[in-house]
Every structure is written in C-alpha cells, then in structure tokens.
Amino acid sequence: MTAATDAVAPPKARGGIAQSVSDSLVVAKRNLIRMTRIPEMVIFGLIQPIMFVVLFSYVFGGSMNIGGSTSPGVYREFLMAGIFAQTVTFATAGAGAGIADDMHKGLIDRFRSLPMARGAVLTGRTLADLVQTALTVVVLAIVALLVGWRIHEGVPKALGAFALLLLLGYAFSWIGALIGLSVRTPEAATSGGLIWLFPVTFISNAFVDSSQMTPWLRHIAEWNPFSATVQACRVLFGNPGVSPSDAWPMQHPVWASIIWSVLIIAVFRTLAVRKYRSATA
Amino acid sequence: MPGAIYAEGLVKTFGHVRALDGVDLDVPEGTVLGLLGPNGAGKTTAVRVLTTLLQPDSGKAFVAGIDVLKHPDEVRRSIGLSGQFAAVDEYLTGRENLQMVGRLYQMNAKRAKARAGELLDRFNLADAADRPAKTYSGGMRRRLDLAAALVVSPPVMFMDEPTTGLDPRNRQALWEVIQELVAGGTTLLLTTQYLEEADHLAHDICVVDHGKVIARGTSDQLKAQTGGERVEVVVHEPEMIPPARDVLARYGLAGIGHGEVSVEDHTRKLTVPVAGGAKLLAEVIRDLDTVGVEIDDIGLRRPTLDDVFISLTGHAAELADEENGGPGADARRKSRKEAAK
Ligand SMILES: Nc1ncnc2c1ncn2[C@@H]1O[C@H](COP(=O)(O)OP(=O)(O)OP(=O)(O)O)[C@@H](O)[C@H]1O
Ligand SMILES: [Mg+2]
C-alpha cells in the first residue's frame, strides 16, 4: 500500500570511473532497446551504403583510372575502403538525431536531474551508435565480397582495418553529439549531421585517386583525417590504389588514422560534454 | 536556518522576458509549498532553476542545504523531479523506463527491478507495464513520469503540475501518495493550476505573476485577504431580481445603496458580501419570502482560492490550455523553443 513512499534512500553515488562506465552502459542499453523497437532506422542505415557500393562500382566502374588500370574489378576493390569509411561516418547523423530527439522530448531534463556521471548520456549514445555501425560494417563487408572485393593481407590485418573504421565512426559520432546538442530539432540534426560529410568524404582519396587532383585540392585530400583511414584500410586489406604521395599521413596511414580519431574524440567529447551540462531544452 | 528549499532574489531572463524577476522562497523542511500563478508566470522556470536544469542570471538558491549553483551534482542526489511535460522514453516500456532511472540512481539491477514493480503497482500501471510508453494515454505517461520521480525517496521533491491530465481517481491516488511522502518528512514544491489542490495539499502558498511573488501565506490567510463571506441567491424569474436586490442591500456589509449587490442577469444570480453567518442566511430567506421572491438556490459562500487568484492576478486561471496536457500545451512548448532562438 505504501510502496511508493517506503523510504528508499538514494544509494550512495559510487562516483569516479566505475559510475561513469555503469551509467554509460545503462544509457547505451536504453538506446539499443530503442533501436530494436525502430528497426526501420537500422534498415535504412544499411540500405544506403549498399546502394553506394552498387552505384559506384557499376556506374563509375569502367571510367576510373586506378594505378594505371581502368578495369571495373580494380575500381571495385579500390572503392570499398572508401565506402566503408564513408559508411562509418554516417554515425554522426544517428548520434546527432538521437540526442536532438532526447532534448526535444524533454528526456535530457530527466537525465540532467539525476545524479548521473557527467558524460554518460552522450557516451551511452555514441556507444549504441558504435554497435549499429559495427552491424552495418558486417553487412557491408558481405555485400562487398559478393561484388568481388577481397582481402589480400590476411585476416588479422583486415580486422585491424575494421578496428580503425570503428574508431573513426566513434570519433565522428562525437561530432554528431555536439551537433545534436546545438540544433533544435532531430530533423535539423540529421541534415546538419550529413551535409558537411559530403565535402569531407569527397575531397579525399575515397572515391578517386587523390594524386590526380589539382595540387591544392590534393593537399587537403591528403591531410583530410578521413583519407588517412581510407589509405590505412587499403594498405591493410591489400587493395589497389594506395596513394604513393609522400605526405606524412599517406606514408603512415595507420598512425595518422589513430591520431586523427583520438584527437577528434578528445576535442569533440570535451565540447559536447560542456554543451550538455549547460543545454536547456 | 534556511528551509529545505530556499531562494533569494532569483532572476532569469529570456531575451526581453523576465521569467523570474527577483523570486524569494523559503520552504521549511517537511512542508508543501504550492506555487500558483497564471500561464507564463514563471513557475516552471523557478522549478528548473531549483532542480539545476537552468542557470539563473542572478540570485541564490539552496536545496536541502546545498548551494544549487555551486554543487549541482550534490543537489541532484537529494531531489526528485516530475516536470511539466512527461519525460519518459516512449520506445521503452514503463518497466524499462523505471528500471533505467533506478540504475541511474546507482541501484543494482535487482533492486531497480523490484522498485519498478512496486511503483507500477502503486500508480495503476501494472497492466501496461510491458508495453512501450508510446502506447500510453496522456494520463498514463504522466503517472509513469511521477513514478520515475519517486524511484528513490529524496528529501526534496519538485512536481510541476503533477495532476494535470489525470482523471479524478488517479488524482486522488496521487494526493494520497503526496500526503504519505510529506508525512514521511519529504519537502515538496508543487505547482498547480488546480487551486483546490493547493488548498488540499499545500501548507503555504506563493502566488507568482510576471516572475514576481505577489502574495504568500497559508490558504486561509490568503482567503482572508480577499474578503469575507457573502450570500449568493439565484431567483426563479428575471423580474424578481429588483425586489431581491432591495432585500439583499439591507444585509450588505456597507448597509447603504445597491452598489454592494452584484447581479448576474443571465444566471439570475445576486451576490452580496455579508457578516453574520448562518443566522443571517435564515433572515434573508424569510425576508425574500415576505416580498414574494421565489428562490432556486441560496447559499453562504466563503472565498475560494479561485477568488484569491483572480483578485490577485486580475485574470482567471487559464485552465483550458493546460488541461490534459493537450495540444495547446504542446504547441506552447514548441513556440517557446522557437522563442529560445
Ligand atoms: N526557454 C525559454 N526561452 C524563452 N522564453 C522562455 C523559455 N522558458 C520560459 N520562457 C518564458 O518565460 C516565462 C515564464 O515561463 P514558465 O514556463 O516559467 O511559466 P509557467 O508559470 O510555468 O507557465 P504555465 O502555467 O503555462 O506552465 C514565459 O513568458 C515564457 O514564455
Ligand atoms: Mg509551467
């Protein structure tokens, strides 16, 4: 009868890392449950990269010159690293829309009134997006194998490439988190999360051989954080079209990819958590 | 010694709107403060400042003795909040929502689960517990949100229009919950548009308008400020209004002239402020009978909080918009977001 008012003292906050981890996992679980209840979202997220694979490889297939070869098969192998990398960056839009939606529905108010770890709402969101990204990458890899993409450097290196991809996706979801906190509607977060990805992913080595670009564009492309991961994947997969450029990120793409991703996480996580704390719906 | 909720000179502006314009509050431990005020008065803003969701431009606030501006994290450990708009995850079931909140209060999984079950029973949500909250009615969501605010029993609770949209039975049930909480020593700040509710639950009442506290005191004190009792008569035929008015004027407090008697023609209702209670009422009935006035209804009326409210704020409590947390409330929320741009 008095269940609602039985003295349930608030448990002592554990504080510190343990609480951050546990709070983040609670929020991540909540976001994953949501994803299973809105499967359309996950499915659309899968269809888009598959469409890219098919369109790019069959439309551009015969007309691209990759390392002296214009064979569609070579372009397809070249292309996959780009598509993988582009796909993981779409996590930006997911994280942004999810957080903007929570703000819009007042859920952020609920979270902010609880004695939670500071970054847990955002970390929980980005972790859930990481799971979705991983799922998308698996499906995409299967489709890629079907259209003729292969790995040539063994499974451990390929797994290393996938790890770099997921790290990049995770980093970009923090950019999305900041966007989600800064806009007013989930719709704005989705488009705001996507538009800037086009220049970032196209002024890169993802879809064309960047060494054939005009010099100033080539410099941007070679130092683009996104290009480093693409180059690293090509190296680790043993795919054609590894840029011979002597720009540092092109020479040390694995390190460059890791450094860029960690840097993005450090900067955008800090900004997003600060914004979260002052956010008002 | 400041109370469990204490605020001094709170100011919060949104652009040119002064949502809070120097609000002082002092709620002693274990009591209920009812915050009343018309739409846009600043009630929600006050709650948001006190629950660490909003930074005031200036002023001081302490909750459970902790400085809200300096130690918001500690304040959060001592408060429960049910905001004006239900903050539940609509894709999660009711049970999952409550378990999540329990886990975020650092309960272990087992305890969070048990607590969720208790609250679902208590708030009549057991049947719907395992459906996504998306499928809940407005009142059910509201109850789920209230349950979420009660997952732990924090020493200080904030409820922003908790009974808006609840049917009478569930409103009654919530009142009981609130009374139990307070009996257990919880301090509560409650905003409401239902003045009857403030009358019933609140020890002290603060009336705010345009971001300022315009009156405070117990419900009886406020009523006494507004005036004493009066006699209300509804006559049977419109042509009986003039003779009835003459009779009532004799009993009117001022005693002279017709000025004191107010008449509502379309309802055939006459009202006059009096002093003298039930004995006087009997005399009025006799006199009306003597002059041949047939009456449909007669009564001695004490001022209600509604009267207090209307006389203080100069306009009626605008209930329609808020009722059921309906589309009006939603639209307002949107336009507020736009305004925030
Ligand atoms: N985020 C915001 N941006 C701009 N203006 C705001 C914001 N929040 C509140 N206001 C304004 O501040 C004033 C007080 O709003 P508040 O929500 O506190 O009123 P209230 O007393 O809770 O009203 P109601 O009874 O309608 O819930 C209103 O004029 C409102 O438009
Ligand atoms: Mg309000």
Side-chain angles (χ1 to χ4, degrees), chain B residues 80-101:
Chain B
L81 166 67
S82 170
Q84 183 168 3
F85 303 96
V88 298
D89 188 324
E90 49 186 1
Y91 287 99
L92 263 54
T93 66
R95 194 184 304 280
E96 286 165 344
N97 265 291
L98 295 181
Q99 284 178 6
M100 174 180 76
V101 173

Side-chain angles (χ1 to χ4, degrees), chain B residues 38-45 84-85 160-161 191 193 322 332 336:
Chain B
N39 291 147
K43 304 181 295 294
T44 297
T45 308
Q84 183 168 3
F85 303 96
D160 197 354
E161 303 196 20
T191 82
Q193 298 282 1
E322 293 299 311
R332 215 164 39 79
R336 187 176 298 177

